[in-house]
Amino acid sequence: MKILVVGSGGREHALAWKLKQSPDAERIFCTPGNAGTAEIGENVAISAGDLRALVRFAKENRVDLTVIGPDDPLAAGVVDLFAMEDLPIFGPTKAAARLESSKIFAKELMRENGIPTAEAGTFERSDDALRFCDRVRFPIVIKADGLALGKGVIIAPDPAVARSIIDEMMNQGRFGEAGRRVVVEEFLRGTECSLHALVDGTRYRLLQTARDHKRALDGDAGPNTGGMGAFSPANNWSAELEDQFHKKIMRPLLRGLQEKKITFRGLLYPGLMIGADGARVLEFNCRFGDPETQAILPRMKSDLLPLLESTIDGRIEGCRIEWDQRPSVTVVLASGGYPDKYETGKPISGLSEAAKLGDVQIFHAGTRRANGGIVTAGGRVLAVTALGSTIQAARARAYDAVTRIHFEECHYRRDIALAATTNEREFIKTTSP
Ligand code: AMP
Ligand code: GLY
């Protein structure tokens, strides 16, 4: 089969790497890909946002399956466009992807179906949102309705900050159209957990759990980023939580979508907050998580290709997914300054020395080939994943690999998965504002 992976991050490298292992995979294309995907398949210079060019490429090259990595093309309707041309594609339609692309849509659907989530108000007018803030306890969380490159969620510690954020988003166009409507919600305390479900419209299979580290600096300090590391399985998950997750979240959600005549096919990743009263939904994502995917897929023993295909054909229920029971730890290497200003074009060394370590996978994100070598080309540069017999062993191995890799102004967190090896209470403390 010919497979096209759309996107250029560590998640897409991990997807391409895993799909390449399938006995049915003949050729892998990546649009636009990175220096890592170029080693697995063929990079094609089409941006993930150029939907018509993607359709044209898939048609001309008789691609048997297209796999979409990022959220934007899904929200823009790439799956609908492919479907019109009878081109097989993994991912939800534009209508189903609203679960991620409209936080108001997601919140209302959760409310209608009794799905546990933060208490919230949804607003189209700033004076209504401001009045609501007079009545609630602080801190509160203000969320732009639309996609805002992962930056549209802001915690307001007091009414003055809340007022200025609401004004910036709703009246002054911070985040553009995405911020014209907002959700204002209760601040939830607890620990976060990322679930991934392969959904075929009516049925689903869960992947292994993971947790990510969103803040830039050790001890969960500094600004939010796209993700500085992850580990799998999550240390705050249990059989009891999983049972509740099926009953109170996944089944009501799929039922609620069906009532609206919306069919979700693809990867649904609910971000959860686990508190004293169980799991509540923070958000829905309609694609694989980054960097969770880089932690989860190296643990997957089964062939990923038929699993993705089964979401399209409605056959997920018959699929079994086998896992390596060993935990994984993923450390992201970023450019100095990320998530703010950073420089690119720095030569990267030590990749092959690091790759020689057993049970280590190096996934590229912001990298490109230049002058016979590989240089940095983005904020998040690499994601290094290691498996180990324990989370401590996986951690030690991941950092062993990380210290063999060098580029100027490389920044990474030293405490990825650390709390999982010591005390869960540390996590509870750090998610409070
Ligand atoms: P979202 O894009 O909705 O997942 O929000 C991004 C991040 O903001 C989440 O992963 C949480 O760390 C945090 N967050 C979102 N909503 C809340 C909430 N209601 N209470 C506390 N933290 C939140
Ligand atoms: N790990 C966060 C995300 O993929 O949205």
Side-chain angles (χ1 to χ4, degrees), residues 193-356:
C193 186
S194 301
L195 271 288
H196 281 67
L198 285 168
V199 184
D200 73 0
T202 49
R203 308 285 169 154
Y204 60 91
R205 282 268 170 271
L206 296 186
L207 306 188
Q208 287 283 317
T209 55
R211 296 185 66 181
D212 70 353
H213 296 61
K214 290 202 171 76
R215 299 295 197 95
L217 307 175
D218 284 14
D220 281 336
N224 259 327
T225 69
M228 293 299 294
F231 62 94
S232 172
N235 57 334
N236 57 351
W237 196 241
S238 65
E240 197 182 332
L241 283 167
E242 190 153 314
D243 186 52
Q244 295 295 310
F245 177 69
H246 291 301
K247 286 188 185 134
K248 291 190 172 171
I249 298 174
M250 284 304 286
R251 287 183 204 137
L253 178 76
L254 293 182
R255 231 181 3 249
L257 285 170
Q258 274 161 18
E259 277 164 16
K260 291 192 186 305
K261 307 268 180 284
I262 294 172
T263 305
F264 190 103
R265 292 195 184 89
L267 191 289
L268 182 71
Y269 145 25
L272 306 178
M273 183 70 89
I274 320 277
D277 54 352
R280 290 205 264 172
V281 177
L282 289 172
E283 60 166 351
F284 289 114
N285 301 295
C286 294
R287 34 86 200 164
F288 283 90
D290 191 332
E292 288 94 327
T293 304
Q294 296 91 305
I296 293 171
L297 290 185
R299 299 187 59 217
M300 184 186 275
K301 286 186 175 169
S302 306
D303 185 349
L304 179 62
L305 182 54
L307 290 170
L308 300 188
E309 288 186 293
S310 75
T311 67
I312 302 171
D313 313 335
R315 290 181 290 105
I316 197 74
E317 201 175 23
C319 296
R320 290 277 162 274
I321 311 180
E322 292 220 39
W323 296 99
D324 191 324
Q325 291 307 312
R326 292 174 301 163
S328 61
V329 172
T330 300
V331 180
V332 168
L333 281 69
S335 298
Y338 171 80
D340 300 320
K341 248 175 79 101
Y342 55 81
E343 290 175 10
T344 58
K346 313 282 186 199
I348 305 173
S349 63
L351 287 169
S352 44
E353 289 77 3
K356 277 189 205 132

Side-chain angles (χ1 to χ4, degrees), residues 103 118 141 143 153 185-188 192 214 282-283:
K103 292 196 190 285
V141 184
K143 301 185 171 185
V153 174
E185 71 182 30
E186 161 198 19
F187 179 85
L188 297 177
E192 290 183 45
K214 290 202 171 76
L282 289 172
E283 60 166 351

Side-chain angles (χ1 to χ4, degrees), residues 74-97:
L74 297 169
V78 69
V79 170
D80 309 63
L81 281 182
F82 271 63
M84 280 196 292
E85 304 280 348
D86 273 331
L87 295 165
I89 184 162
F90 170 80
T93 58
K94 183 175 183 170

